[in-house]
Each structure stands twice: as structure tokens, then as C-alpha cells.
Amino acid sequence: MKKIFIDCGANNGCSLRMFSKAFEDYQDFSAYSFECSDEFYAKLVPTGDGIGFKEFFPFKKAVWISEGKKRYNG
């Protein structure tokens, strides 16, 4: 079974760091992180790359409950 960590609103990668400290087997996980802010995404990518997940997939997108466009004031 594939182990997956999905981070919706990843900010600067703080939840990735917390996850890696909370779970000894974090290196067995593939991490999918979503962050739409340019400022935070720029910090997220190096943080996620440096932690050591099995796979790290950053997305410069927001997560919402339906398709379409939303105004983001970030």
C-alpha cells in the first residue's frame, strides 16, 4: 500500500516539517503539497525537497470544494 501525505494549504512547508518529526516512517510517504501564494510557494519547494520524503510533489494551486475560479487575496 502506498503511503501518501496530502497537504492542502502548505504555507512555507511547516506541516511537512511537523509530519516528518511526528512519524518515524515519513520517508516511506509521498507528499503532495498545495500552496497558491507566490511567497509561500517559493519557501515550500526547498523545504519539501530537503526533508527526504519518498516523493515530493508541490503544486502552485489552491484546493477548494468545487471546480471554478475564486478570488484570492494573498
Side-chain angles (χ1 to χ4, degrees):
M1 173 176 31
K2 186 172 184 175
K3 297 178 180 182
I4 297 174
F5 175 61
I6 300 173
D7 189 4
C8 301
N11 198 277
N12 62 6
C14 54
S15 51
L16 295 172
R17 288 190 299 273
M18 287 173 42
F19 186 87
S20 69
K21 291 177 183 175
F23 295 92
E24 291 180 6
D25 64 341
Y26 76 91
Q27 292 176 319
D28 296 336
F29 281 77
S30 296
Y32 294 79
S33 294
F34 297 84
E35 178 53 55
C36 64
S37 163
D38 291 330
E39 178 185 351
F40 289 129
Y41 185 81
K43 297 174 183 177
L44 166 67
V45 174
T47 298
D49 284 340
I51 289 178
F53 285 97
K54 182 176 183 179
E55 298 173 295
F56 174 59
F57 302 100
F59 296 90
K60 193 176 173 306
K61 295 184 177 285
V63 176
W64 190 245
I65 58 173
S66 61
E67 290 287 329
K69 293 187 177 194
K70 296 285 180 189
R71 177 177 282 231
Y72 173 70
N73 294 322

